[in-house]
Amino acid sequence: MSDVLGLVLPFFGLILLGFFVARITRQPVGALGWMNTFIVYVALPALFFQLLAKTPFERLAEWTFILGAILSTYTIFLIMFAGSMLFAGRNIAESTIKSLAASYGNIGYMGPGLALLVFGPEAAVPVALIFCFENIIHFAVAPMMMALSGGEKNTPLQLAYGVIRKIVLHPFIIATAFGVAAAYFHVRPPLPVERLLEYLSAAAAPCALFAMGVTLALRPLKRVPRELGPIAFLKLILHPLVCYVVLSWVGNFSEIWLFSAVLLAALPTATNVFVLAQQYHVWVERASASILLTTCISVATVTGLLYLIKSGMLPPDLFP
């Protein structure tokens, strides 16, 4: 257990450090803008590119793995969506944000840093694949559901253009595409560029976690949503369990690939859920509360999951 705590406490400590620094210094939320720009447009793309470019191309075409991970995520999405529609009124827009809160994990800021810390460089490929393809689906599902709710005023053509533009121009997805191309054509950047990528990659996880802590501190918790219980259970407990069962069932993946996917499924609600709630003016304050509280609870649930993995209590394949 001490080994697990040694991995997890510095990781969550960076989030806590960002939280307390933001509380002490009282900087406005706009002051975080350039750090977020550095993380999203420079550091994390450099990390994804560097790790993917060094991976044999044949390992990047695990479609069964990708589909299994997406199936797990959207099983949770559908459970929350159906429950919200049945018991909280037939509000498609609100149910969509709740469902994203229950299924859309913080796989961008928290995923790469934690998975690489726990499992090493071999975790980079499954993390990048899950991040890339799940975000493509999320970018499509959110505007589609808002259009069905009547909250999206664009024409179908404008809607499709907006979705494609978000996917094609997202810096993580661009970096992933370049990384895959570099792996396919066996391209290696010149030594100065390689060193620059190494510097940027090393900064990605600490900066992302610190910025996440700052973001949580600047987003005050005014109201705890009654849906938090189901959202926290679905996101932190059921999602990794479903992911574990589905991936064990659909394929024979390596231990690191399987557990990397399960770890990503166990992460708390992504900050992008709050961004989407603000964009569509739906469930904004409670989306913020869901992110803060699932992040706090995940300190215990993620630590417990890693203990099960590291101690060997969780077998690497449920259906050997």
Side-chain angles (χ1 to χ4, degrees):
M1 188 64 179
S2 60
D3 292 341
V4 174
L5 291 175
L7 290 171
V8 172
L9 291 181
F11 182 87
F12 282 104
L14 282 165
I15 299 176
L16 192 62
L17 187 62
F19 185 91
F20 280 123
V21 168
R23 289 290 191 185
I24 293 167
T25 60
R26 298 291 182 181
Q27 293 289 334
V29 67
L32 192 60
W34 282 112
M35 177 173 273
N36 280 329
T37 300
F38 170 74
I39 294 163
V40 173
Y41 286 89
V42 182
L44 283 172
L47 176 65
F48 282 133
F49 172 82
Q50 189 184 38
L51 294 170
L52 288 171
K54 296 176 180 178
T55 303
F57 179 76
E58 58 273 11
R59 299 194 61 203
L60 302 176
E62 288 280 2
W63 290 108
T64 306
F65 177 83
I66 294 165
L67 292 173
I70 292 172
L71 175 62
S72 305
T73 297
Y74 276 89
T75 297
I76 301 301
F77 181 95
L78 289 172
I79 291 172
M80 187 65 208
F81 188 84
S84 178
M85 292 290 284
L86 284 172
F87 301 112
R90 297 181 178 276
N91 188 320
I92 294 176
E94 189 173 292
S95 297
T96 298
I97 300 299
K98 292 177 188 175
S99 303
L100 288 170
S103 62
Y104 191 177
N106 205 327
I107 55 178
Y109 273 23
M110 296 180 70
L114 185 55
L116 292 172
L117 181 67
V118 174
F119 301 118
E122 192 178 340
V125 177
V127 168
L129 291 175
I130 290 173
F131 177 85
C132 184
F133 285 95
E134 282 205 1
N135 272 289
I136 288 172
I137 302 297
H138 293 323
F139 291 160
V141 165
M144 181 187 72
M145 297 303 291
M146 293 304 170
L148 289 175
S149 74
E152 179 62 66
K153 305 304 181 185
N154 292 330
T155 66
L157 189 60
Q158 291 172 323
L159 188 65
Y161 172 75
V163 169
I164 294 169
R165 190 171 180 274
K166 279 186 179 180
I167 292 170
V168 172
L169 297 181
H170 194 288
F172 292 178
I173 294 175
I174 292 172
T176 300
F178 275 100
V180 171
Y184 181 78
F185 292 108
H186 304 286
V187 174
R188 292 290 179 270
L191 184 59
V193 176
E194 182 75 20
R195 285 178 176 166
L196 176 61
L197 291 173
E198 287 176 2
Y199 295 151
L200 294 173
S201 299
C207 289
L209 295 171
F210 184 86
M212 183 181 171
V214 173
T215 303
L216 293 174
L218 297 177
R219 194 174 291 153
L221 179 60
K222 297 178 181 177
R223 181 179 176 185
V224 177
R226 64 180 181 179
E227 299 90 343
L228 179 67
I231 286 173
F233 173 75
L234 287 169
K235 184 71 215 69
L236 303 175
I237 306 296
L238 193 59
H239 190 184
L241 179 61
V242 170
C243 184
Y244 175 60
V245 171
V246 168
L247 288 179
S248 295
W249 175 50
V250 301
N252 184 25
F253 307 110
S254 75
E255 182 176 335
I256 289 178
W257 278 54
L258 175 67
F259 286 145
S260 293
V262 173
L263 177 59
L264 262 60
L267 294 178
T269 303
T271 52
N272 278 350
V273 174
F274 175 74
V275 174
L276 288 168
Q278 277 191 316
Q279 179 182 344
Y280 294 107
H281 309 290
V282 176
W283 215 63
V284 177
E285 188 177 302
R286 286 173 282 183
S288 174
S290 298
I291 295 163
L292 176 58
L293 292 175
T294 55
T295 301
C296 293
I297 296 169
S298 72
V299 177
T301 56
V302 170
T303 302
L305 173 64
L306 291 177
Y307 176 73
L308 293 176
I309 292 172
K310 290 294 185 179
S311 66
M313 295 175 66
L314 196 65
D317 192 346
L318 190 60
F319 307 108

